[in-house]
């Protein structure tokens, strides 16, 4: 597996991760938020990446064909998958075949950055995230099995600032015995490099 930066909320760890590996061009996938009228957090992420000095190009999975998505990925050094509803995101990735495309690209060395839902989708399963996101937003999703790039379940916003401590505690109690949960506060990220994993500030 290539390098992954799995962010809970803030993007402070991005510059060292991307530029430290020779990248400057980021393909931005906003799909997880496409079902919402207000996508202020996505606009903030896009703006933050540009302010950090990156060239950012949107890749709209629900508009582009598979070949157009593949071509768009050919033109960037890294892909950033933003937050929103992880169930909707996984549904679109499967329906478009981009789940396999991204898996192949990441295994071949493309840098992957995921924030919130974009981080959660690469894990073993997204079922526990049903306490944070509404699964009914993805009525066609038949399996909550994630992309499986890591064998953990990423739980973003684990400090409770976004969703509240009670929900995070309930998630841990209900699912902690069934899944390996990786709890990330908003100012943390999980850095994955091959078989090595470390929680870093972001």
């Amino acid at each position: 597996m290539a390098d992954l930066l799995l962010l809970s909320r803030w993007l402070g760890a991005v510059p060292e991760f991307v530029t430290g590996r020779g990248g400057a061009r980021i393909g931005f996938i906003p799909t997880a938020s496409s079902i919402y009228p207000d996508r202020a957090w996505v606009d903030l992420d896009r703006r933050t990446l540009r302010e950090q000095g990156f060239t950012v190009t949107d890749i709209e999975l629900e508009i582009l064909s598979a070949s157009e998505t593949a071509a768009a990925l050919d033109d960037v050094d890294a892909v950033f998958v933003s937050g929103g509803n992880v169930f909707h995101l996984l549904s679109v990735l499967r329906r478009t075949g981009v789940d396999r495309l991204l898996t192949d690209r990441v295994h071949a060395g493309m840098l992957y950055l995921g924030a919130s839902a974009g981080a959660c989708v690469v894990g073993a399963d997204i079922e526990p995230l049903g306490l944070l996101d509404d699964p009914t937003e993805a009525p066609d999703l038949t399996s909550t099995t994630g992309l499986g790039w890591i064998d953990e379940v990423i739980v973003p916003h684990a400090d409770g600032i976004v969703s509240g401590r009670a929900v995070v505690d309930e998630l841990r109690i209900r699912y902690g015995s069934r899944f390996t949960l990786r709890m990330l506060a908003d100012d943390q990220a999980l850095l994955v490099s091959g078989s090595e994993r470390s929680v870093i500030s972001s």
Side-chain angles (χ1 to χ4, degrees):
M1 177 57 64
D3 293 331
L4 315 175
L5 183 64
L6 306 178
L7 305 136
S8 178
R9 187 178 186 187
W10 306 121
L11 310 186
V14 171
E16 182 176 355
F17 175 75
V18 179
T19 58
R21 291 158 177 80
R25 303 168 301 167
I26 295 178
F28 190 95
I29 298 178
T31 303
S33 65
S34 67
I35 55 177
Y36 302 120
D38 181 5
R39 305 197 286 175
W41 70 93
V42 177
D43 295 334
L44 175 61
D45 283 353
R46 190 186 291 106
R47 184 168 65 251
T48 298
L49 292 172
R50 287 178 173 146
E51 290 173 350
Q52 289 173 339
F54 300 109
T55 299
V56 180
T57 303
D58 275 24
I59 302 176
E60 299 277 2
L61 303 185
E62 292 164 290
I63 297 174
L64 300 177
S65 67
S67 61
E68 288 171 333
T69 298
L73 292 174
D74 286 339
D75 288 334
V76 297
D77 304 304
V79 61
F80 181 100
V81 181
S82 68
N85 185 297
V86 68
F87 297 92
H88 173 67
L89 174 60
L90 182 58
S91 178
V92 173
L93 290 176
R94 288 204 178 126
R95 186 173 71 247
T96 59
V98 177
D99 56 342
R100 298 184 299 275
L101 178 62
L102 278 179
T103 298
D104 290 344
R105 293 302 180 92
V106 168
H107 277 288
M110 171 169 275
L111 302 178
Y112 180 93
L113 305 95
S116 192
C120 299
V121 77
V122 310
D125 206 294
I126 64 170
E127 180 186 345
L129 284 311
L131 293 184
L132 302 180
D133 290 344
D134 183 0
T136 65
E137 298 284 5
D140 297 331
L141 187 66
T142 58
S143 170
T144 58
T145 301
L147 300 185
W149 298 351
I150 62 172
D151 57 359
E152 303 175 46
V153 173
I154 300 293
V155 181
H157 321 306
D159 44 11
I161 295 174
V162 172
S163 57
R165 283 286 342 164
V167 173
V168 175
D169 290 343
E170 176 64 20
L171 189 154
R172 184 186 286 109
I173 292 169
R174 187 181 301 186
Y175 294 104
S177 62
R178 291 180 51 205
F179 300 97
T180 301
L181 304 177
R182 176 71 73 167
M183 315 295 286
L184 295 177
D186 281 344
D187 61 354
Q188 292 180 322
L190 180 65
L191 177 63
V192 179
S193 183
S195 60
E196 298 182 2
R197 301 175 193 176
S198 57
V199 175
I200 61 175
S201 298
S202 183

